[in-house]
């Protein structure tokens, strides 16, 4: 779970910092993001051993969930990072800090509700065992991706 959050923050920071950069850098990150997504799709497909019928119903739900999740994170995390940039947390009033915490809690709740709806939708498409395998596969993929990043950073 901790690695999952670290991975999400890492991806969000990369995405946000690339906004202000030149176009080729954004394209580079877009290509990397698409490559990672393709690897994730392949990994999940293998781990879940989806039948063609299951895959036809699963992937539209999964892609929609991922898109909505990313949109929530992009909107809410960007606002949070803007408010806490340059050690400005020390300069927040108690009222501003409380409002920021409430915003963070609301974001987490939005993500939780989205996940609940996604799982509920999946129950009509996949057996419960495959839904559990999906959670495990996502965690394993995130761990592998983070490990590859660490290995590359240490070795390269």
């Amino acid at each position: 779970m901790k690695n999952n959050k670290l991975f999400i923050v890492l991806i969000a920071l990369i995405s946000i910092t690339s906004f202000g950069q030149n176009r080729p850098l954004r394209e580079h990150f877009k290509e990397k993001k698409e490559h990672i997504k393709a690897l994730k799709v392949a990994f999940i497909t293998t781990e879940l051993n989806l039948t063609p019928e299951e895959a036809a119903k699963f992937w539209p739900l999964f892609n929609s969930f991922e898109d909505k999740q990313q949109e929530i994170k992009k909107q809410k995390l960007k606002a949070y990072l803007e408010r806490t940039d340059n050690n400005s947390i020390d300069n927040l009033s108690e009222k501003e800090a409380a409002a920021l915490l409430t915003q963070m809690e609301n974001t987490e709740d939005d993500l939780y509700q989205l996940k609940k709806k996604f799982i509920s939708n999946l129950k009509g498409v996949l057996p419960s065992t495959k839904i559990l395998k999906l959670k495990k596969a996502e965690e394993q993929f995130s761990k592998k991706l983070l490990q590859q990043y660490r290995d590359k950073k240490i070795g390269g």
Side-chain angles (χ1 to χ4, degrees):
M1 186 70 170
K2 198 180 236 185
N3 285 339
N4 236 359
K5 288 181 181 180
L6 181 60
F7 175 72
I8 291 167
V9 171
L10 178 66
I11 293 297
L13 287 174
I14 290 170
S15 298
I16 289 169
T17 57
S18 68
F19 262 88
Q21 302 296 322
N22 58 19
R23 185 166 169 81
L25 187 56
R26 278 195 303 250
E27 288 175 9
H28 174 74
F29 281 119
K30 185 177 179 184
E31 289 172 10
K32 288 284 188 191
K33 186 176 176 181
E34 289 171 5
H35 179 70
I36 291 169
K37 185 173 182 172
L39 291 172
K40 185 175 184 178
V41 166
F43 188 80
I44 288 173
T45 299
T46 301
E47 293 297 310
L48 267 56
N49 195 24
L50 297 173
T51 66
E53 296 81 19
E54 289 173 337
K57 294 176 184 175
F58 169 77
W59 287 113
L61 288 174
F62 183 82
N63 291 332
S64 175
F65 167 72
E66 290 263 300
D67 291 345
K68 289 175 186 173
Q69 184 174 254
Q70 282 301 106
E71 188 58 34
I72 290 171
K73 289 176 184 177
K74 183 178 174 182
Q75 288 175 348
K76 310 281 177 134
L77 187 59
K78 184 177 179 186
Y80 167 76
L81 289 174
E82 287 173 355
R83 301 255 337 248
T84 60
D85 196 24
N86 298 327
N87 297 325
S88 63
I89 292 176
D90 293 333
N91 298 326
L92 291 176
S93 69
E94 187 59 30
K95 185 177 179 179
E96 290 171 323
L100 193 55
L101 280 174
T102 300
Q103 178 187 3
M104 291 169 58
E105 290 170 344
N106 291 340
T107 299
E108 290 297 321
D109 189 49
D110 290 347
L111 290 169
Y112 173 73
Q113 294 302 324
L114 179 66
K115 185 91 170 182
K116 271 183 71 170
K117 183 179 177 186
F118 173 61
I119 291 171
S120 177
N121 290 338
L122 282 181
K123 287 178 181 177
V125 173
L126 297 176
S128 297
T129 54
K130 287 191 179 182
I131 296 171
L132 292 173
K133 285 181 181 181
L134 171 63
K135 175 70 175 157
K136 184 177 178 182
E138 287 181 300
E139 289 173 0
Q140 288 175 326
F141 181 80
S142 294
K143 283 181 184 178
K144 286 183 178 193
L145 190 62
L146 189 57
Q147 188 60 49
Q148 286 179 355
Y149 174 76
R150 286 179 180 153
D151 292 346
K152 184 176 179 182
K153 189 167 184 154
I154 292 170

